[in-house]
PDB file of all heavy atoms in Angstrom:
ATOM      1  N   ASP A   1      74.674  48.477 201.580  1.00  0.00           N
ATOM      2  CA  ASP A   1      75.304  49.479 202.437  1.00  0.00           C
ATOM      3  C   ASP A   1      74.202  50.458 202.824  1.00  0.00           C
ATOM      4  O   ASP A   1      73.625  51.130 201.950  1.00  0.00           O
ATOM      5  CB  ASP A   1      76.399  50.242 201.682  1.00  0.00           C
ATOM      6  CG  ASP A   1      77.668  49.431 201.490  1.00  0.00           C
ATOM      7  OD1 ASP A   1      78.079  48.742 202.437  1.00  0.00           O
ATOM      8  OD2 ASP A   1      78.257  49.496 200.389  1.00  0.00           O
ATOM      9  N   LEU A   2      73.870  50.548 204.106  1.00  0.00           N
ATOM     10  CA  LEU A   2      72.844  51.494 204.518  1.00  0.00           C
ATOM     11  C   LEU A   2      73.254  52.917 204.168  1.00  0.00           C
ATOM     12  O   LEU A   2      74.447  53.218 204.038  1.00  0.00           O
ATOM     13  CB  LEU A   2      72.602  51.385 206.029  1.00  0.00           C
ATOM     14  CG  LEU A   2      72.123  50.032 206.556  1.00  0.00           C
ATOM     15  CD1 LEU A   2      71.941  50.102 208.074  1.00  0.00           C
ATOM     16  CD2 LEU A   2      70.834  49.594 205.876  1.00  0.00           C
ATOM     17  N   ARG A   3      72.276  53.797 204.020  1.00  0.00           N
ATOM     18  CA  ARG A   3      72.602  55.198 203.739  1.00  0.00           C
ATOM     19  C   ARG A   3      73.590  55.716 204.792  1.00  0.00           C
ATOM     20  O   ARG A   3      73.501  55.392 205.985  1.00  0.00           O
ATOM     21  CB  ARG A   3      71.350  56.069 203.727  1.00  0.00           C
ATOM     22  CG  ARG A   3      70.587  56.121 205.041  1.00  0.00           C
ATOM     23  CD  ARG A   3      69.532  57.202 205.044  1.00  0.00           C
ATOM     24  NE  ARG A   3      68.575  57.047 203.957  1.00  0.00           N
ATOM     25  CZ  ARG A   3      67.847  58.046 203.469  1.00  0.00           C
ATOM     26  NH1 ARG A   3      67.948  59.257 203.978  1.00  0.00           N
ATOM     27  NH2 ARG A   3      67.000  57.830 202.496  1.00  0.00           N
ATOM     28  N   GLY A   4      74.578  56.486 204.344  1.00  0.00           N
ATOM     29  CA  GLY A   4      75.574  57.002 205.266  1.00  0.00           C
ATOM     30  C   GLY A   4      76.637  55.999 205.652  1.00  0.00           C
ATOM     31  O   GLY A   4      77.462  56.266 206.531  1.00  0.00           O
ATOM     32  N   HIS A   5      76.651  54.832 204.995  1.00  0.00           N
ATOM     33  CA  HIS A   5      77.598  53.774 205.311  1.00  0.00           C
ATOM     34  C   HIS A   5      78.182  53.197 204.016  1.00  0.00           C
ATOM     35  O   HIS A   5      77.544  53.254 202.959  1.00  0.00           O
ATOM     36  CB  HIS A   5      76.923  52.647 206.090  1.00  0.00           C
ATOM     37  CG  HIS A   5      76.415  53.042 207.431  1.00  0.00           C
ATOM     38  ND1 HIS A   5      75.275  53.805 207.605  1.00  0.00           N
ATOM     39  CD2 HIS A   5      76.883  52.772 208.680  1.00  0.00           C
ATOM     40  CE1 HIS A   5      75.070  53.987 208.908  1.00  0.00           C
ATOM     41  NE2 HIS A   5      76.021  53.376 209.567  1.00  0.00           N
ATOM     42  N   GLY A   6      79.361  52.595 204.128  1.00  0.00           N
ATOM     43  CA  GLY A   6      79.955  51.927 202.977  1.00  0.00           C
ATOM     44  C   GLY A   6      80.053  52.831 201.762  1.00  0.00           C
ATOM     45  O   GLY A   6      80.503  53.976 201.847  1.00  0.00           O
ATOM     46  N   ASP A   7      79.582  52.324 200.624  1.00  0.00           N
ATOM     47  CA  ASP A   7      79.647  53.081 199.376  1.00  0.00           C
ATOM     48  C   ASP A   7      78.331  53.772 199.032  1.00  0.00           C
ATOM     49  O   ASP A   7      78.146  54.232 197.902  1.00  0.00           O
ATOM     50  CB  ASP A   7      80.049  52.139 198.228  1.00  0.00           C
ATOM     51  CG  ASP A   7      81.460  51.602 198.385  1.00  0.00           C
ATOM     52  OD1 ASP A   7      82.283  52.281 199.033  1.00  0.00           O
ATOM     53  OD2 ASP A   7      81.747  50.509 197.864  1.00  0.00           O
ATOM     54  N   SER A   8      77.409  53.829 199.978  1.00  0.00           N
ATOM     55  CA  SER A   8      76.135  54.513 199.744  1.00  0.00           C
ATOM     56  C   SER A   8      76.247  56.002 200.055  1.00  0.00           C
ATOM     57  O   SER A   8      77.103  56.431 200.840  1.00  0.00           O
ATOM     58  CB  SER A   8      75.031  53.895 200.615  1.00  0.00           C
ATOM     59  OG  SER A   8      74.662  52.621 200.133  1.00  0.00           O
ATOM     60  N   ASP A   9      75.367  56.788 199.426  1.00  0.00           N
ATOM     61  CA  ASP A   9      75.361  58.232 199.655  1.00  0.00           C
ATOM     62  C   ASP A   9      75.076  58.567 201.110  1.00  0.00           C
ATOM     63  O   ASP A   9      74.380  57.827 201.825  1.00  0.00           O
ATOM     64  CB  ASP A   9      74.265  58.893 198.797  1.00  0.00           C
ATOM     65  CG  ASP A   9      74.666  59.054 197.350  1.00  0.00           C
ATOM     66  OD1 ASP A   9      75.850  58.820 197.021  1.00  0.00           O
ATOM     67  OD2 ASP A   9      73.791  59.411 196.536  1.00  0.00           O
ATOM     68  N   TRP A  10      75.597  59.716 201.515  1.00  0.00           N
ATOM     69  CA  TRP A  10      75.252  60.279 202.816  1.00  0.00           C
ATOM     70  C   TRP A  10      73.956  61.074 202.673  1.00  0.00           C
ATOM     71  O   TRP A  10      73.646  61.602 201.601  1.00  0.00           O
ATOM     72  CB  TRP A  10      76.356  61.190 203.315  1.00  0.00           C
ATOM     73  CG  TRP A  10      77.611  60.457 203.701  1.00  0.00           C
ATOM     74  CD1 TRP A  10      77.895  59.141 203.494  1.00  0.00           C
ATOM     75  CD2 TRP A  10      78.752  61.013 204.358  1.00  0.00           C
ATOM     76  NE1 TRP A  10      79.136  58.832 203.980  1.00  0.00           N
ATOM     77  CE2 TRP A  10      79.691  59.960 204.521  1.00  0.00           C
ATOM     78  CE3 TRP A  10      79.077  62.291 204.828  1.00  0.00           C
ATOM     79  CZ2 TRP A  10      80.934  60.163 205.141  1.00  0.00           C
ATOM     80  CZ3 TRP A  10      80.300  62.482 205.447  1.00  0.00           C
ATOM     81  CH2 TRP A  10      81.219  61.430 205.606  1.00  0.00           C
ATOM     82  N   SER A  11      73.218  61.175 203.742  1.00  0.00           N
ATOM     83  CA  SER A  11      71.929  61.861 203.704  1.00  0.00           C
ATOM     84  C   SER A  11      72.115  63.374 203.697  1.00  0.00           C
ATOM     85  O   SER A  11      72.808  63.913 204.570  1.00  0.00           O
ATOM     86  CB  SER A  11      71.090  61.454 204.916  1.00  0.00           C
ATOM     87  OG  SER A  11      69.831  62.063 204.886  1.00  0.00           O
ATOM     88  N   PRO A  12      71.527  64.087 202.739  1.00  0.00           N
ATOM     89  CA  PRO A  12      71.621  65.553 202.722  1.00  0.00           C
ATOM     90  C   PRO A  12      71.033  66.139 204.001  1.00  0.00           C
ATOM     91  O   PRO A  12      70.029  65.661 204.529  1.00  0.00           O
ATOM     92  CB  PRO A  12      70.772  65.953 201.502  1.00  0.00           C
ATOM     93  CG  PRO A  12      70.731  64.725 200.653  1.00  0.00           C
ATOM     94  CD  PRO A  12      70.744  63.575 201.607  1.00  0.00           C
ATOM     95  N   GLY A  13      71.678  67.180 204.507  1.00  0.00           N
ATOM     96  CA  GLY A  13      71.201  67.786 205.735  1.00  0.00           C
ATOM     97  C   GLY A  13      71.588  67.005 206.973  1.00  0.00           C
ATOM     98  O   GLY A  13      71.227  67.360 208.087  1.00  0.00           O
ATOM     99  N   SER A  14      72.316  65.893 206.764  1.00  0.00           N
ATOM    100  CA  SER A  14      72.821  65.088 207.877  1.00  0.00           C
ATOM    101  C   SER A  14      71.713  64.540 208.762  1.00  0.00           C
ATOM    102  O   SER A  14      71.891  64.359 209.962  1.00  0.00           O
ATOM    103  CB  SER A  14      73.803  65.913 208.725  1.00  0.00           C
ATOM    104  OG  SER A  14      74.849  66.398 207.927  1.00  0.00           O
ATOM    105  N   GLU A  15      70.550  64.275 208.193  1.00  0.00           N
ATOM    106  CA  GLU A  15      69.420  63.746 208.951  1.00  0.00           C
ATOM    107  C   GLU A  15      69.267  62.256 208.657  1.00  0.00           C
ATOM    108  O   GLU A  15      69.174  61.847 207.504  1.00  0.00           O
ATOM    109  CB  GLU A  15      68.134  64.482 208.569  1.00  0.00           C
ATOM    110  CG  GLU A  15      66.977  64.207 209.518  1.00  0.00           C
ATOM    111  CD  GLU A  15      67.242  64.697 210.920  1.00  0.00           C
ATOM    112  OE1 GLU A  15      67.702  65.847 211.082  1.00  0.00           O
ATOM    113  OE2 GLU A  15      67.004  63.921 211.865  1.00  0.00           O
ATOM    114  N   TYR A  16      69.252  61.461 209.716  1.00  0.00           N
ATOM    115  CA  TYR A  16      69.080  60.015 209.600  1.00  0.00           C
ATOM    116  C   TYR A  16      68.002  59.565 210.575  1.00  0.00           C
ATOM    117  O   TYR A  16      68.110  59.808 211.776  1.00  0.00           O
ATOM    118  CB  TYR A  16      70.391  59.272 209.919  1.00  0.00           C
ATOM    119  CG  TYR A  16      71.497  59.520 208.926  1.00  0.00           C
ATOM    120  CD1 TYR A  16      72.378  60.581 209.095  1.00  0.00           C
ATOM    121  CD2 TYR A  16      71.650  58.702 207.816  1.00  0.00           C
ATOM    122  CE1 TYR A  16      73.402  60.808 208.188  1.00  0.00           C
ATOM    123  CE2 TYR A  16      72.665  58.922 206.891  1.00  0.00           C
ATOM    124  CZ  TYR A  16      73.539  59.983 207.086  1.00  0.00           C
ATOM    125  OH  TYR A  16      74.550  60.211 206.172  1.00  0.00           O
ATOM    126  N   THR A  17      66.974  58.926 210.064  1.00  0.00           N
ATOM    127  CA  THR A  17      65.933  58.391 210.930  1.00  0.00           C
ATOM    128  C   THR A  17      65.740  56.910 210.614  1.00  0.00           C
ATOM    129  O   THR A  17      66.040  56.448 209.509  1.00  0.00           O
ATOM    130  CB  THR A  17      64.591  59.115 210.723  1.00  0.00           C
ATOM    131  OG1 THR A  17      64.093  58.810 209.406  1.00  0.00           O
ATOM    132  CG2 THR A  17      64.736  60.625 210.884  1.00  0.00           C
ATOM    133  N   THR A  18      65.222  56.188 211.596  1.00  0.00           N
ATOM    134  CA  THR A  18      64.945  54.772 211.373  1.00  0.00           C
ATOM    135  C   THR A  18      63.954  54.599 210.230  1.00  0.00           C
ATOM    136  O   THR A  18      64.065  53.662 209.431  1.00  0.00           O
ATOM    137  CB  THR A  18      64.382  54.133 212.653  1.00  0.00           C
ATOM    138  OG1 THR A  18      65.225  54.472 213.757  1.00  0.00           O
ATOM    139  CG2 THR A  18      64.307  52.624 212.518  1.00  0.00           C
ATOM    140  N   ALA A  19      62.979  55.497 210.151  1.00  0.00           N
ATOM    141  CA  ALA A  19      61.977  55.410 209.093  1.00  0.00           C
ATOM    142  C   ALA A  19      62.617  55.521 207.714  1.00  0.00           C
ATOM    143  O   ALA A  19      62.253  54.795 206.779  1.00  0.00           O
ATOM    144  CB  ALA A  19      60.929  56.498 209.278  1.00  0.00           C
ATOM    145  N   GLN A  20      63.599  56.417 207.559  1.00  0.00           N
ATOM    146  CA  GLN A  20      64.272  56.558 206.269  1.00  0.00           C
ATOM    147  C   GLN A  20      65.008  55.278 205.893  1.00  0.00           C
ATOM    148  O   GLN A  20      64.959  54.826 204.747  1.00  0.00           O
ATOM    149  CB  GLN A  20      65.249  57.735 206.328  1.00  0.00           C
ATOM    150  CG  GLN A  20      64.582  59.095 206.387  1.00  0.00           C
ATOM    151  CD  GLN A  20      65.572  60.206 206.665  1.00  0.00           C
ATOM    152  OE1 GLN A  20      66.583  59.999 207.343  1.00  0.00           O
ATOM    153  NE2 GLN A  20      65.297  61.397 206.156  1.00  0.00           N
ATOM    154  N   TYR A  21      65.683  54.692 206.864  1.00  0.00           N
ATOM    155  CA  TYR A  21      66.380  53.426 206.600  1.00  0.00           C
ATOM    156  C   TYR A  21      65.392  52.327 206.212  1.00  0.00           C
ATOM    157  O   TYR A  21      65.672  51.504 205.335  1.00  0.00           O
ATOM    158  CB  TYR A  21      67.150  52.986 207.842  1.00  0.00           C
ATOM    159  CG  TYR A  21      68.426  53.753 208.117  1.00  0.00           C
ATOM    160  CD1 TYR A  21      68.511  54.642 209.188  1.00  0.00           C
ATOM    161  CD2 TYR A  21      69.558  53.559 207.333  1.00  0.00           C
ATOM    162  CE1 TYR A  21      69.684  55.323 209.467  1.00  0.00           C
ATOM    163  CE2 TYR A  21      70.730  54.238 207.603  1.00  0.00           C
ATOM    164  CZ  TYR A  21      70.789  55.125 208.669  1.00  0.00           C
ATOM    165  OH  TYR A  21      71.964  55.798 208.935  1.00  0.00           O
ATOM    166  N   ALA A  22      64.229  52.303 206.872  1.00  0.00           N
ATOM    167  CA  ALA A  22      63.228  51.278 206.561  1.00  0.00           C
ATOM    168  C   ALA A  22      62.686  51.459 205.142  1.00  0.00           C
ATOM    169  O   ALA A  22      62.454  50.471 204.427  1.00  0.00           O
ATOM    170  CB  ALA A  22      62.093  51.324 207.574  1.00  0.00           C
ATOM    171  N   VAL A  23      62.482  52.712 204.723  1.00  0.00           N
ATOM    172  CA  VAL A  23      62.033  52.963 203.349  1.00  0.00           C
ATOM    173  C   VAL A  23      63.086  52.472 202.362  1.00  0.00           C
ATOM    174  O   VAL A  23      62.762  51.855 201.333  1.00  0.00           O
ATOM    175  CB  VAL A  23      61.733  54.463 203.138  1.00  0.00           C
ATOM    176  CG1 VAL A  23      61.449  54.753 201.661  1.00  0.00           C
ATOM    177  CG2 VAL A  23      60.537  54.897 203.985  1.00  0.00           C
ATOM    178  N   ASP A  24      64.350  52.726 202.652  1.00  0.00           N
ATOM    179  CA  ASP A  24      65.429  52.246 201.781  1.00  0.00           C
ATOM    180  C   ASP A  24      65.387  50.729 201.654  1.00  0.00           C
ATOM    181  O   ASP A  24      65.508  50.177 200.554  1.00  0.00           O
ATOM    182  CB  ASP A  24      66.790  52.668 202.338  1.00  0.00           C
ATOM    183  CG  ASP A  24      67.003  54.167 202.355  1.00  0.00           C
ATOM    184  OD1 ASP A  24      66.293  54.884 201.622  1.00  0.00           O
ATOM    185  OD2 ASP A  24      67.880  54.618 203.117  1.00  0.00           O
TER     186      ASP A  24
END
């Protein structure tokens, strides 16, 4: 489950970048 989706945590500060998803 990508961050902010499914049962995964939401990103603090509501910031989502492609780079963060790639690191995950």
Side-chain angles (χ1 to χ4, degrees):
D1 285 318
L2 299 180
R3 62 169 57 203
H5 296 75
D7 294 334
S8 288
D9 282 351
W10 290 9
S11 182
S14 304
E15 193 64 47
Y16 294 89
T17 67
T18 310
Q20 290 171 329
Y21 285 109
V23 172
D24 295 340

